[in-house]
Amino acid sequence: MLTQNSDLQLVLDLAGVFIFALSGGLVAVSKRLDVVGVIVLAWVAGLGGGVIRDVLIGAVPPDGVTDWRVMSAACVAGVLTFFLHPRLAEISRFVRVLDAGGLSLFAVAGALKALAFAAPPIACVVVGVITAVGGGLMRDVIVGRIPEVLRRELYAVPALLGAVIVVAAAHWHHLTPLVLWLAVAVCFVVRMTAVMFDLNAPRPLRTGDHS
Amino acid sequence: MLTQNSDLQLVLDLAGVFIFALSGGLVAVSKRLDVVGVIVLAWVAGLGGGVIRDVLIGAVPPDGVTDWRVMSAACVAGVLTFFLHPRLAEISRFVRVLDAGGLSLFAVAGALKALAFAAPPIACVVVGVITAVGGGLMRDVIVGRIPEVLRRELYAVPALLGAVIVVAAAHWHHLTPLVLWLAVAVCFVVRMTAVMFDLNAPRPLRTGDHS
Amino acid sequence: MLTQNSDLQLVLDLAGVFIFALSGGLVAVSKRLDVVGVIVLAWVAGLGGGVIRDVLIGAVPPDGVTDWRVMSAACVAGVLTFFLHPRLAEISRFVRVLDAGGLSLFAVAGALKALAFAAPPIACVVVGVITAVGGGLMRDVIVGRIPEVLRRELYAVPALLGAVIVVAAAHWHHLTPLVLWLAVAVCFVVRMTAVMFDLNAPRPLRTGDHS
């Protein structure tokens, strides 16, 4: 059941890495980092979640340091970001959309890989969520931003939904490619709905005591 | 010897997770994060130290992503924090007391688990300290605070005392529940004494060069 | 081939730990942390990269929590830093030089250990770089500085050069002590050249949007 999804998992992984790496590169550009900084932050954002996932489920050395395909995807995304010079005004919004895509792909791919390593169902869900939010969290912490996952109401929740759909489908032996893409879509739509809503109603941040 | 302590270790773990998760939730509230941010930070503060411990001693997947009891404790603490709405003026002090409790429980529970995994004595001590300070350190780094463990003179030291007592007791075959609670108490008393002292004599922070 | 280098690897490791721990201690001093904060940051800077390396290649528990020699090196460096009271004006430049030394030693030692654990060549290179930049990155993130690896053009690149030389030499069965010291020297010279250049031509930092 899982074997037939291995190609699909590679596609999900590569697309998620590429998209998250773009978000990392754009954050680096917005901080005016140089080309190496852009590539390093692309690597962290694109591969960080998967590396944490692999360490947690005992799949070491992690794909993020052994698989030239995902590493190339992250580097290409970093270089692309550096040379495409997007207009700065557009960056903030575009990062959010990319982030939502990476979140959805990684929640599903992370849960899928944990299932393949025979982790308990609840661990597969949590590992899926950590895969999805880990890279973006490290990206933001490294450059000193409050992480997206803490700032926006519906960031971890759509990832949780996506991972739960995958683990439930595996439990009932319906882990088809269609179900996997459905899980990706549900996560993405919920997240983008939240992004749209939040853009109109930003909540005050960092107004409490800064002890 | 260690087997008879497994129930006690669960109690120490659950209490430590709950208390540290409360501290995480309170920090999140003081930063005006929403309910998901509060739960995420409660999870990080409550389970982060134990996850690092399990990764270091090779106990993967870590309890923090597989054991529904500790995960529930962290989530309940997060939700409680969000709805109890403590007065903000009280938060700063209360976080310190909770932190001292979690520190003590985790230093002992961390060293105990490392012993159960047959790690060398010195590693058990270090892992106990890392378990104790890891969650709070990640909590503070993620929201951009200088970590408590760097700000206060006697934060890592009481954890070190607690872990050393446990490992020494194991070495001399006296690892009884009484000794374990004694280790918790020593760590807590030393830490609270330091908190009391520091409250009267705060040292200047961040006055050096901010390179 | 690798066995005869085990003593040399210990020397590289100890020197790298000591030097990086000094850099951690100096950063802590510049932030006016107390003696425990200085030792903790020395530990993080000196042992952090190696701990991440060991977790990634599955060498748990990591040397950084089990080997009293590397832990002693880090603690001694922290205590030395605290008591030597270097003049503050000299710190910023001295940290850079120490950092370059630690970077070179760790890139080589990290790649060497990954080779000894039979990781794939590409993983050995990446693990070498992560070993080299990991400790300094954690040091900077914990005290809220933008990490050196993102700020300076040629920080990760010399580490990459050093690791590639080691892995290439292993591939062609020429992993002699001379080659290892050559790799250290290449990394150090490239890095120091970059430091000299950057001191004369600092680029603007943190001038973008601070979202």
Side-chain angles (χ1 to χ4, degrees), chain C residues 129-161:
Chain C
V129 174
I130 292 175
T131 309
V133 306
L137 189 140
M138 287 202 286
R139 173 198 70 201
D140 290 346
V141 166
I142 285 176
V143 298
R145 308 195 327 164
I146 297 280
E148 197 92 352
V149 65
L150 294 180
R151 287 194 294 181
R152 302 288 160 187
E153 183 113 19
L154 290 173
Y155 190 86
V157 171
L160 187 64
L161 282 178

PDB file of all heavy atoms in Angstrom, chain C residues 129-161:
ATOM      1  N   VAL C 129      30.120  20.502   6.897  1.00  0.00           N
ATOM      2  CA  VAL C 129      29.736  21.920   6.923  1.00  0.00           C
ATOM      3  C   VAL C 129      28.829  22.212   8.113  1.00  0.00           C
ATOM      4  O   VAL C 129      28.998  23.216   8.812  1.00  0.00           O
ATOM      5  CB  VAL C 129      29.046  22.314   5.595  1.00  0.00           C
ATOM      6  CG1 VAL C 129      28.522  23.746   5.669  1.00  0.00           C
ATOM      7  CG2 VAL C 129      30.012  22.165   4.430  1.00  0.00           C
ATOM      8  N   ILE C 130      27.855  21.320   8.363  1.00  0.00           N
ATOM      9  CA  ILE C 130      26.934  21.541   9.484  1.00  0.00           C
ATOM     10  C   ILE C 130      27.693  21.511  10.819  1.00  0.00           C
ATOM     11  O   ILE C 130      27.432  22.321  11.707  1.00  0.00           O
ATOM     12  CB  ILE C 130      25.795  20.498   9.474  1.00  0.00           C
ATOM     13  CG1 ILE C 130      24.884  20.734   8.267  1.00  0.00           C
ATOM     14  CG2 ILE C 130      24.986  20.554  10.766  1.00  0.00           C
ATOM     15  CD1 ILE C 130      23.794  19.694   8.101  1.00  0.00           C
ATOM     16  N   THR C 131      28.634  20.577  10.954  1.00  0.00           N
ATOM     17  CA  THR C 131      29.459  20.539  12.159  1.00  0.00           C
ATOM     18  C   THR C 131      30.165  21.878  12.360  1.00  0.00           C
ATOM     19  O   THR C 131      30.246  22.407  13.472  1.00  0.00           O
ATOM     20  CB  THR C 131      30.534  19.431  12.056  1.00  0.00           C
ATOM     21  OG1 THR C 131      29.916  18.207  11.694  1.00  0.00           O
ATOM     22  CG2 THR C 131      31.270  19.262  13.367  1.00  0.00           C
ATOM     23  N   ALA C 132      30.668  22.423  11.248  1.00  0.00           N
ATOM     24  CA  ALA C 132      31.460  23.649  11.315  1.00  0.00           C
ATOM     25  C   ALA C 132      30.609  24.868  11.636  1.00  0.00           C
ATOM     26  O   ALA C 132      31.022  25.741  12.404  1.00  0.00           O
ATOM     27  CB  ALA C 132      32.207  23.858   9.999  1.00  0.00           C
ATOM     28  N   VAL C 133      29.410  24.958  11.053  1.00  0.00           N
ATOM     29  CA  VAL C 133      28.607  26.170  11.258  1.00  0.00           C
ATOM     30  C   VAL C 133      27.573  26.030  12.373  1.00  0.00           C
ATOM     31  O   VAL C 133      27.044  27.028  12.861  1.00  0.00           O
ATOM     32  CB  VAL C 133      27.893  26.620   9.951  1.00  0.00           C
ATOM     33  CG1 VAL C 133      28.891  26.780   8.815  1.00  0.00           C
ATOM     34  CG2 VAL C 133      26.786  25.673   9.568  1.00  0.00           C
ATOM     35  N   GLY C 134      27.279  24.779  12.807  1.00  0.00           N
ATOM     36  CA  GLY C 134      26.185  24.547  13.752  1.00  0.00           C
ATOM     37  C   GLY C 134      26.367  25.207  15.112  1.00  0.00           C
ATOM     38  O   GLY C 134      25.453  25.840  15.636  1.00  0.00           O
ATOM     39  N   GLY C 135      27.551  25.062  15.703  1.00  0.00           N
ATOM     40  CA  GLY C 135      27.780  25.609  17.037  1.00  0.00           C
ATOM     41  C   GLY C 135      27.689  27.129  17.050  1.00  0.00           C
ATOM     42  O   GLY C 135      27.037  27.712  17.913  1.00  0.00           O
ATOM     43  N   GLY C 136      28.338  27.749  16.072  1.00  0.00           N
ATOM     44  CA  GLY C 136      28.302  29.210  15.999  1.00  0.00           C
ATOM     45  C   GLY C 136      26.907  29.727  15.712  1.00  0.00           C
ATOM     46  O   GLY C 136      26.494  30.772  16.243  1.00  0.00           O
ATOM     47  N   LEU C 137      26.160  28.983  14.886  1.00  0.00           N
ATOM     48  CA  LEU C 137      24.795  29.388  14.572  1.00  0.00           C
ATOM     49  C   LEU C 137      23.924  29.353  15.827  1.00  0.00           C
ATOM     50  O   LEU C 137      23.191  30.306  16.121  1.00  0.00           O
ATOM     51  CB  LEU C 137      24.227  28.477  13.486  1.00  0.00           C
ATOM     52  CG  LEU C 137      22.887  28.882  12.894  1.00  0.00           C
ATOM     53  CD1 LEU C 137      22.876  28.648  11.384  1.00  0.00           C
ATOM     54  CD2 LEU C 137      21.731  28.124  13.508  1.00  0.00           C
ATOM     55  N   MET C 138      24.025  28.252  16.602  1.00  0.00           N
ATOM     56  CA  MET C 138      23.228  28.157  17.831  1.00  0.00           C
ATOM     57  C   MET C 138      23.644  29.239  18.824  1.00  0.00           C
ATOM     58  O   MET C 138      22.802  29.854  19.492  1.00  0.00           O
ATOM     59  CB  MET C 138      23.360  26.765  18.443  1.00  0.00           C
ATOM     60  CG  MET C 138      22.613  25.716  17.649  1.00  0.00           C
ATOM     61  SD  MET C 138      22.206  24.248  18.627  1.00  0.00           S
ATOM     62  CE  MET C 138      23.799  23.486  18.736  1.00  0.00           C
ATOM     63  N   ARG C 139      24.982  29.465  18.947  1.00  0.00           N
ATOM     64  CA  ARG C 139      25.491  30.524  19.821  1.00  0.00           C
ATOM     65  C   ARG C 139      24.834  31.863  19.494  1.00  0.00           C
ATOM     66  O   ARG C 139      24.344  32.559  20.397  1.00  0.00           O
ATOM     67  CB  ARG C 139      27.015  30.621  19.618  1.00  0.00           C
ATOM     68  CG  ARG C 139      27.697  31.767  20.322  1.00  0.00           C
ATOM     69  CD  ARG C 139      29.082  32.028  19.701  1.00  0.00           C
ATOM     70  NE  ARG C 139      28.928  32.596  18.357  1.00  0.00           N
ATOM     71  CZ  ARG C 139      29.851  32.581  17.392  1.00  0.00           C
ATOM     72  NH1 ARG C 139      31.012  32.007  17.627  1.00  0.00           N
ATOM     73  NH2 ARG C 139      29.613  33.102  16.209  1.00  0.00           N
ATOM     74  N   ASP C 140      24.787  32.211  18.205  1.00  0.00           N
ATOM     75  CA  ASP C 140      24.266  33.511  17.813  1.00  0.00           C
ATOM     76  C   ASP C 140      22.744  33.587  17.964  1.00  0.00           C
ATOM     77  O   ASP C 140      22.208  34.600  18.417  1.00  0.00           O
ATOM     78  CB  ASP C 140      24.666  33.826  16.363  1.00  0.00           C
ATOM     79  CG  ASP C 140      26.152  34.106  16.232  1.00  0.00           C
ATOM     80  OD1 ASP C 140      26.807  34.317  17.271  1.00  0.00           O
ATOM     81  OD2 ASP C 140      26.660  34.126  15.103  1.00  0.00           O
ATOM     82  N   VAL C 141      22.051  32.492  17.581  1.00  0.00           N
ATOM     83  CA  VAL C 141      20.585  32.500  17.672  1.00  0.00           C
ATOM     84  C   VAL C 141      20.151  32.634  19.132  1.00  0.00           C
ATOM     85  O   VAL C 141      19.219  33.374  19.455  1.00  0.00           O
ATOM     86  CB  VAL C 141      19.989  31.228  17.034  1.00  0.00           C
ATOM     87  CG1 VAL C 141      18.527  31.059  17.414  1.00  0.00           C
ATOM     88  CG2 VAL C 141      20.132  31.285  15.515  1.00  0.00           C
ATOM     89  N   ILE C 142      20.845  31.938  20.048  1.00  0.00           N
ATOM     90  CA  ILE C 142      20.441  31.947  21.454  1.00  0.00           C
ATOM     91  C   ILE C 142      20.555  33.333  22.076  1.00  0.00           C
ATOM     92  O   ILE C 142      19.727  33.732  22.894  1.00  0.00           O
ATOM     93  CB  ILE C 142      21.268  30.909  22.260  1.00  0.00           C
ATOM     94  CG1 ILE C 142      20.760  29.507  21.926  1.00  0.00           C
ATOM     95  CG2 ILE C 142      21.163  31.155  23.758  1.00  0.00           C
ATOM     96  CD1 ILE C 142      21.558  28.394  22.570  1.00  0.00           C
ATOM     97  N   VAL C 143      21.575  34.112  21.676  1.00  0.00           N
ATOM     98  CA  VAL C 143      21.695  35.462  22.244  1.00  0.00           C
ATOM     99  C   VAL C 143      21.066  36.521  21.344  1.00  0.00           C
ATOM    100  O   VAL C 143      21.186  37.712  21.607  1.00  0.00           O
ATOM    101  CB  VAL C 143      23.161  35.850  22.539  1.00  0.00           C
ATOM    102  CG1 VAL C 143      23.747  34.916  23.577  1.00  0.00           C
ATOM    103  CG2 VAL C 143      23.994  35.857  21.274  1.00  0.00           C
ATOM    104  N   GLY C 144      20.368  36.068  20.272  1.00  0.00           N
ATOM    105  CA  GLY C 144      19.620  37.024  19.470  1.00  0.00           C
ATOM    106  C   GLY C 144      20.434  37.794  18.443  1.00  0.00           C
ATOM    107  O   GLY C 144      20.014  38.874  18.011  1.00  0.00           O
ATOM    108  N   ARG C 145      21.599  37.271  18.027  1.00  0.00           N
ATOM    109  CA  ARG C 145      22.336  37.894  16.934  1.00  0.00           C
ATOM    110  C   ARG C 145      21.981  37.216  15.615  1.00  0.00           C
ATOM    111  O   ARG C 145      21.660  36.033  15.591  1.00  0.00           O
ATOM    112  CB  ARG C 145      23.861  37.728  17.145  1.00  0.00           C
ATOM    113  CG  ARG C 145      24.363  38.161  18.490  1.00  0.00           C
ATOM    114  CD  ARG C 145      25.863  38.343  18.579  1.00  0.00           C
ATOM    115  NE  ARG C 145      26.652  37.443  17.764  1.00  0.00           N
ATOM    116  CZ  ARG C 145      27.946  37.669  17.482  1.00  0.00           C
ATOM    117  NH1 ARG C 145      28.543  38.744  17.955  1.00  0.00           N
ATOM    118  NH2 ARG C 145      28.630  36.809  16.764  1.00  0.00           N
ATOM    119  N   ILE C 146      22.031  37.978  14.508  1.00  0.00           N
ATOM    120  CA  ILE C 146      21.922  37.337  13.196  1.00  0.00           C
ATOM    121  C   ILE C 146      23.177  36.480  13.040  1.00  0.00           C
ATOM    122  O   ILE C 146      24.289  36.962  13.205  1.00  0.00           O
ATOM    123  CB  ILE C 146      21.885  38.387  12.056  1.00  0.00           C
ATOM    124  CG1 ILE C 146      20.643  39.277  12.170  1.00  0.00           C
ATOM    125  CG2 ILE C 146      21.936  37.697  10.693  1.00  0.00           C
ATOM    126  CD1 ILE C 146      19.387  38.662  11.642  1.00  0.00           C
ATOM    127  N   PRO C 147      23.020  35.157  12.757  1.00  0.00           N
ATOM    128  CA  PRO C 147      24.188  34.272  12.739  1.00  0.00           C
ATOM    129  C   PRO C 147      25.251  34.711  11.734  1.00  0.00           C
ATOM    130  O   PRO C 147      24.933  35.162  10.637  1.00  0.00           O
ATOM    131  CB  PRO C 147      23.595  32.922  12.340  1.00  0.00           C
ATOM    132  CG  PRO C 147      22.160  33.007  12.706  1.00  0.00           C
ATOM    133  CD  PRO C 147      21.771  34.437  12.518  1.00  0.00           C
ATOM    134  N   GLU C 148      26.503  34.551  12.135  1.00  0.00           N
ATOM    135  CA  GLU C 148      27.676  34.857  11.303  1.00  0.00           C
ATOM    136  C   GLU C 148      27.542  34.205   9.926  1.00  0.00           C
ATOM    137  O   GLU C 148      27.863  34.829   8.915  1.00  0.00           O
ATOM    138  CB  GLU C 148      28.926  34.308  12.011  1.00  0.00           C
ATOM    139  CG  GLU C 148      30.235  34.843  11.532  1.00  0.00           C
ATOM    140  CD  GLU C 148      30.672  36.060  12.343  1.00  0.00           C
ATOM    141  OE1 GLU C 148      29.873  36.554  13.176  1.00  0.00           O
ATOM    142  OE2 GLU C 148      31.777  36.525  12.135  1.00  0.00           O
ATOM    143  N   VAL C 149      27.031  32.964   9.894  1.00  0.00           N
ATOM    144  CA  VAL C 149      26.969  32.213   8.646  1.00  0.00           C
ATOM    145  C   VAL C 149      26.060  32.889   7.624  1.00  0.00           C
ATOM    146  O   VAL C 149      26.185  32.685   6.420  1.00  0.00           O
ATOM    147  CB  VAL C 149      26.513  30.758   8.898  1.00  0.00           C
ATOM    148  CG1 VAL C 149      25.097  30.709   9.423  1.00  0.00           C
ATOM    149  CG2 VAL C 149      26.636  29.912   7.649  1.00  0.00           C
ATOM    150  N   LEU C 150      25.124  33.727   8.096  1.00  0.00           N
ATOM    151  CA  LEU C 150      24.250  34.444   7.173  1.00  0.00           C
ATOM    152  C   LEU C 150      24.776  35.838   6.864  1.00  0.00           C
ATOM    153  O   LEU C 150      24.385  36.459   5.889  1.00  0.00           O
ATOM    154  CB  LEU C 150      22.849  34.595   7.784  1.00  0.00           C
ATOM    155  CG  LEU C 150      22.051  33.324   8.008  1.00  0.00           C
ATOM    156  CD1 LEU C 150      20.702  33.662   8.606  1.00  0.00           C
ATOM    157  CD2 LEU C 150      21.857  32.580   6.699  1.00  0.00           C
ATOM    158  N   ARG C 151      25.664  36.346   7.727  1.00  0.00           N
ATOM    159  CA  ARG C 151      26.066  37.738   7.577  1.00  0.00           C
ATOM    160  C   ARG C 151      27.240  37.927   6.637  1.00  0.00           C
ATOM    161  O   ARG C 151      27.421  38.981   6.063  1.00  0.00           O
ATOM    162  CB  ARG C 151      26.443  38.320   8.955  1.00  0.00           C
ATOM    163  CG  ARG C 151      25.247  38.574   9.829  1.00  0.00           C
ATOM    164  CD  ARG C 151      25.628  39.438  10.999  1.00  0.00           C
ATOM    165  NE  ARG C 151      26.553  38.758  11.891  1.00  0.00           N
ATOM    166  CZ  ARG C 151      27.036  39.300  13.005  1.00  0.00           C
ATOM    167  NH1 ARG C 151      26.690  40.518  13.352  1.00  0.00           N
ATOM    168  NH2 ARG C 151      27.853  38.632  13.781  1.00  0.00           N
ATOM    169  N   ARG C 152      28.095  36.903   6.526  1.00  0.00           N
ATOM    170  CA  ARG C 152      29.352  37.073   5.813  1.00  0.00           C
ATOM    171  C   ARG C 152      29.399  36.172   4.587  1.00  0.00           C
ATOM    172  O   ARG C 152      29.089  34.983   4.676  1.00  0.00           O
ATOM    173  CB  ARG C 152      30.521  36.753   6.745  1.00  0.00           C
ATOM    174  CG  ARG C 152      30.565  37.598   7.989  1.00  0.00           C
ATOM    175  CD  ARG C 152      30.975  39.029   7.688  1.00  0.00           C
ATOM    176  NE  ARG C 152      30.560  39.915   8.798  1.00  0.00           N
ATOM    177  CZ  ARG C 152      30.669  41.230   8.747  1.00  0.00           C
ATOM    178  NH1 ARG C 152      31.117  41.827   7.671  1.00  0.00           N
ATOM    179  NH2 ARG C 152      30.273  41.963   9.774  1.00  0.00           N
ATOM    180  N   GLU C 153      29.831  36.733   3.472  1.00  0.00           N
ATOM    181  CA  GLU C 153      29.790  36.008   2.198  1.00  0.00           C
ATOM    182  C   GLU C 153      30.505  34.663   2.268  1.00  0.00           C
ATOM    183  O   GLU C 153      29.978  33.647   1.869  1.00  0.00           O
ATOM    184  CB  GLU C 153      30.418  36.862   1.098  1.00  0.00           C
ATOM    185  CG  GLU C 153      30.343  36.221  -0.280  1.00  0.00           C
ATOM    186  CD  GLU C 153      29.434  37.000  -1.206  1.00  0.00           C
ATOM    187  OE1 GLU C 153      29.160  38.179  -0.944  1.00  0.00           O
ATOM    188  OE2 GLU C 153      28.975  36.421  -2.179  1.00  0.00           O
ATOM    189  N   LEU C 154      31.728  34.674   2.805  1.00  0.00           N
ATOM    190  CA  LEU C 154      32.533  33.453   2.726  1.00  0.00           C
ATOM    191  C   LEU C 154      32.675  32.803   4.102  1.00  0.00           C
ATOM    192  O   LEU C 154      33.756  32.785   4.691  1.00  0.00           O
ATOM    193  CB  LEU C 154      33.902  33.759   2.129  1.00  0.00           C
ATOM    194  CG  LEU C 154      33.860  34.102   0.647  1.00  0.00           C
ATOM    195  CD1 LEU C 154      35.208  34.547   0.154  1.00  0.00           C
ATOM    196  CD2 LEU C 154      33.372  32.899  -0.144  1.00  0.00           C
ATOM    197  N   TYR C 155      31.573  32.302   4.639  1.00  0.00           N
ATOM    198  CA  TYR C 155      31.644  31.607   5.916  1.00  0.00           C
ATOM    199  C   TYR C 155      31.393  30.114   5.692  1.00  0.00           C
ATOM    200  O   TYR C 155      32.187  29.269   6.075  1.00  0.00           O
ATOM    201  CB  TYR C 155      30.625  32.178   6.889  1.00  0.00           C
ATOM    202  CG  TYR C 155      30.787  31.678   8.284  1.00  0.00           C
ATOM    203  CD1 TYR C 155      31.664  32.300   9.161  1.00  0.00           C
ATOM    204  CD2 TYR C 155      30.086  30.576   8.723  1.00  0.00           C
ATOM    205  CE1 TYR C 155      31.840  31.826  10.440  1.00  0.00           C
ATOM    206  CE2 TYR C 155      30.251  30.094  10.000  1.00  0.00           C
ATOM    207  CZ  TYR C 155      31.118  30.716  10.861  1.00  0.00           C
ATOM    208  OH  TYR C 155      31.290  30.242  12.127  1.00  0.00           O
ATOM    209  N   ALA C 156      30.292  29.792   5.027  1.00  0.00           N
ATOM    210  CA  ALA C 156      29.987  28.390   4.742  1.00  0.00           C
ATOM    211  C   ALA C 156      30.880  27.863   3.618  1.00  0.00           C
ATOM    212  O   ALA C 156      31.223  26.678   3.599  1.00  0.00           O
ATOM    213  CB  ALA C 156      28.512  28.231   4.374  1.00  0.00           C
ATOM    214  N   VAL C 157      31.284  28.743   2.697  1.00  0.00           N
ATOM    215  CA  VAL C 157      32.058  28.298   1.537  1.00  0.00           C
ATOM    216  C   VAL C 157      33.420  27.700   1.917  1.00  0.00           C
ATOM    217  O   VAL C 157      33.753  26.604   1.450  1.00  0.00           O
ATOM    218  CB  VAL C 157      32.214  29.449   0.513  1.00  0.00           C
ATOM    219  CG1 VAL C 157      33.200  29.078  -0.586  1.00  0.00           C
ATOM    220  CG2 VAL C 157      30.856  29.794  -0.092  1.00  0.00           C
ATOM    221  N   PRO C 158      34.226  28.362   2.758  1.00  0.00           N
ATOM    222  CA  PRO C 158      35.488  27.714   3.158  1.00  0.00           C
ATOM    223  C   PRO C 158      35.269  26.384   3.878  1.00  0.00           C
ATOM    224  O   PRO C 158      36.048  25.437   3.678  1.00  0.00           O
ATOM    225  CB  PRO C 158      36.157  28.743   4.079  1.00  0.00           C
ATOM    226  CG  PRO C 158      35.184  29.824   4.289  1.00  0.00           C
ATOM    227  CD  PRO C 158      34.131  29.738   3.258  1.00  0.00           C
ATOM    228  N   ALA C 159      34.231  26.290   4.704  1.00  0.00           N
ATOM    229  CA  ALA C 159      33.929  25.020   5.365  1.00  0.00           C
ATOM    230  C   ALA C 159      33.629  23.949   4.320  1.00  0.00           C
ATOM    231  O   ALA C 159      34.066  22.796   4.442  1.00  0.00           O
ATOM    232  CB  ALA C 159      32.753  25.184   6.329  1.00  0.00           C
ATOM    233  N   LEU C 160      32.887  24.344   3.289  1.00  0.00           N
ATOM    234  CA  LEU C 160      32.563  23.423   2.200  1.00  0.00           C
ATOM    235  C   LEU C 160      33.838  22.955   1.512  1.00  0.00           C
ATOM    236  O   LEU C 160      34.021  21.753   1.258  1.00  0.00           O
ATOM    237  CB  LEU C 160      31.640  24.140   1.203  1.00  0.00           C
ATOM    238  CG  LEU C 160      31.030  23.325   0.063  1.00  0.00           C
ATOM    239  CD1 LEU C 160      30.101  22.263   0.614  1.00  0.00           C
ATOM    240  CD2 LEU C 160      30.254  24.236  -0.877  1.00  0.00           C
ATOM    241  N   LEU C 161      34.757  23.892   1.236  1.00  0.00           N
ATOM    242  CA  LEU C 161      36.042  23.535   0.621  1.00  0.00           C
ATOM    243  C   LEU C 161      36.794  22.511   1.469  1.00  0.00           C
ATOM    244  O   LEU C 161      37.271  21.493   0.958  1.00  0.00           O
ATOM    245  CB  LEU C 161      36.924  24.783   0.466  1.00  0.00           C
ATOM    246  CG  LEU C 161      36.604  25.710  -0.697  1.00  0.00           C
ATOM    247  CD1 LEU C 161      37.542  26.909  -0.671  1.00  0.00           C
ATOM    248  CD2 LEU C 161      36.732  24.947  -2.017  1.00  0.00           C
TER     249      LEU C 161
END
